[in-house]
Amino acid sequence: MSTGGYALHGYNEGSLYQRTLLMKLSDVFMESLEHARSSTSEQIVIADYGSSEGYNSMVFLRRALSKIRENSFNQILVIHNDLPENEWTKTFKTILESEESYLKLPNVYFLTVGRSFYDQILPNNSVHIGFTSAAFHWLSQPLSAPDHAIPSSSSDPDFKNLAYSLAHDDLVILLRNRHKELTNSGQLIVQILLENSPIINSFGAIINTTVENAFRKGYITEDEKRSITVPWYGRSYEEIQRALNEISDLYKVISFPHLDDNELYFDNLPEEIRVEIMNELKNLEAYFLKGALQRAIKRNEEEKNAIYVMLITELFDVIDTSKVDRWPTFQYFVLEKNS
């Protein structure tokens, strides 16, 4: 799609916030890596579920694997997973050419798997560490709420029940499939979007306001407005716990802390990081909006391009006149496969 002259890039260039959150799991990941190293003298397999274009995972793994290389020379195989339509060429270029790549370390290799993580994507008992960050909040299907572009932000009671049910089933499916792939005592680290009430000027509200404005200005039809959805679902602690209870025969819970506000919110990041994240906001929101538009608009490519340019203009106007005072918040938990 054309961007109307705007210099937009991909997920790698718009996801510093997600990378900052992922880096907070460095110590947690190191514990799982030491656990894997103690359980095998052979190859350690690490699966990265929902890697997108790969930069965040690559930098995160480079830091962790550099530390483990101080006292271990196990071969390490990293498997990056995302949908078939992911920008895989960019993933390969990033990992193969970046000076920050974990391939700069000895005995580290990588593969990619272009399949939905709602399927079992790797052989039984093959993964020592699975991890996912800012990915498992994507629902298995693009639910369209009657009043909001973000499903978990809807206030419609019937739709909320539908989304709640799907989100529960989705998380259980995801955890069951990862269980099949993990080795005995293999560990799964999940960093997942928390429930985030729809408040004025919140991160998700920017997309919703953009879509509403585009409809009022006649850029899109009412049916198209309802079809443009970013199928995120932010789960509450209780919803996560309900899913964990359902699969308690498969895993033991190693860690599931309730994080306080000081560990969750954007305002507590260093000033220079917050400035850089805000500079990336337009690119990130445009990236998500583009995907939603491609799924929803059933027109020829010329018309789609024209609509996208109008939506991008509207999106940037909304961002320029908004104060983003609350960003999405994430929770993590660590599971170990029962032997």
Side-chain angles (χ1 to χ4, degrees):
M1 282 185 178
S2 166
T3 61
Y6 294 112
L8 299 179
H9 304 284
Y11 191 82
N12 281 353
E13 295 82 11
S15 55
L16 175 60
Y17 181 65
Q18 292 92 319
R19 186 158 66 254
T20 301
L21 290 170
L22 177 58
M23 289 301 182
K24 290 169 72 71
L25 292 184
S26 292
D27 290 343
V28 174
F29 188 85
M30 283 303 303
E31 291 176 8
S32 291
L33 196 53
E34 289 290 350
H35 174 78
R37 189 174 68 86
S38 67
S39 68
T40 180
S41 60
E42 300 180 352
Q43 176 178 263
I44 295 174
V45 177
I46 301 169
D48 169 23
Y49 300 102
S51 62
S52 190
E53 295 168 356
Y55 181 76
N56 288 357
S57 301
M58 180 192 73
V59 173
F60 176 72
L61 289 170
R62 170 66 182 266
R63 177 185 292 185
L65 298 182
S66 294
K67 292 180 181 178
I68 203 73
R69 274 290 173 258
E70 294 173 3
N71 53 23
S72 169
F73 287 91
N74 299 63
Q75 286 192 340
I76 295 173
L77 175 63
V78 178
I79 304 173
H80 297 287
N81 154 256
D82 214 295
L83 292 170
E85 58 267 29
N86 185 45
E87 294 283 353
W88 288 113
T89 300
K90 193 166 185 179
T91 304
F92 299 144
K93 186 177 179 66
T94 298
I95 295 171
L96 292 170
E97 298 180 7
S98 174
E99 288 300 314
E100 299 174 275
S101 176
Y102 52 72
L103 292 184
K104 300 295 182 182
L105 303 172
N107 263 354
V108 182
Y109 307 90
F110 84 100
L111 299 171
T112 60
V113 177
R115 292 185 62 186
S116 168
F117 50 46
Y118 280 101
D119 300 322
Q120 180 179 350
I121 61 170
L122 296 168
N124 290 347
N125 305 309
S126 63
V127 175
H128 296 91
I129 305 172
F131 81 96
T132 180
S133 176
F136 278 10
H137 61 277
W138 288 90
L139 295 171
S140 60
Q141 53 185 285
L143 292 182
S144 297
D147 59 342
H148 207 287
I150 311 297
S152 58
S153 295
S154 174
S155 58
D156 181 271
D158 292 336
F159 182 83
K160 284 174 72 72
N161 288 335
L162 175 64
Y164 174 89
S165 178
L166 177 63
H168 172 76
D169 292 345
D170 277 358
L171 186 53
V172 170
I173 289 169
L174 290 169
L175 297 179
R176 287 190 184 279
N177 282 328
R178 304 297 76 81
H179 176 268
K180 295 173 187 175
E181 296 161 353
L182 287 171
T183 60
N184 286 337
S185 79
Q187 294 189 347
L188 178 66
I189 303 168
V190 177
Q191 191 175 54
I192 194 168
L193 183 69
L194 271 178
E195 181 179 41
N196 204 5
S197 298
I199 60 175
I200 296 173
N201 297 328
S202 70
F203 184 85
I206 290 173
I207 289 179
N208 193 63
T209 301
T210 299
V211 173
E212 291 287 348
N213 289 352
F215 169 65
R216 283 196 296 269
K217 293 180 179 181
Y219 300 161
I220 55 176
T221 68
E222 185 169 5
D223 286 344
E224 288 171 336
K225 183 193 77 163
R226 289 195 57 174
S227 296
I228 296 175
T229 178
V230 180
W232 299 334
Y233 187 91
R235 296 170 174 87
S236 66
Y237 285 105
E238 291 73 23
E239 287 174 287
I240 297 171
Q241 187 62 62
R242 180 177 171 232
L244 295 180
N245 290 343
E246 189 164 325
I247 48 87
S248 60
D249 58 321
L250 304 180
Y251 295 98
K252 63 179 177 182
V253 178
I254 301 300
S255 181
F256 181 29
H258 279 219
L259 306 180
D260 63 33
D261 285 356
N262 288 328
E263 296 173 281
L264 289 172
Y265 289 108
F266 173 75
D267 285 347
N268 294 290
L269 294 171
E271 173 67 19
E272 63 274 16
I273 298 295
R274 286 191 286 123
V275 170
E276 190 172 349
I277 288 171
M278 289 305 301
N279 289 337
E280 290 188 353
L281 179 59
K282 288 182 179 179
N283 193 82
L284 181 62
E285 294 272 18
Y287 176 84
F288 291 135
L289 189 59
K290 179 180 179 180
L293 184 65
Q294 288 175 322
R295 290 187 296 269
I297 305 297
K298 309 302 181 185
R299 304 198 198 186
N300 62 47
E301 285 305 308
E302 184 177 351
E303 289 178 315
K304 280 187 178 182
N305 282 335
I307 292 172
Y308 184 56
V309 170
M310 289 187 288
L311 283 174
I312 291 298
T313 302
E314 191 65 38
L315 172 70
F316 289 1
D317 286 345
V318 172
I319 292 174
D320 287 341
T321 57
S322 298
K323 179 181 181 297
V324 181
D325 54 9
R326 187 174 183 184
W327 282 57
T329 56
F330 287 78
Q331 167 66 40
Y332 80 89
F333 57 89
V334 182
L335 307 177
E336 183 175 309
K337 180 176 178 177
N338 287 333
S339 300

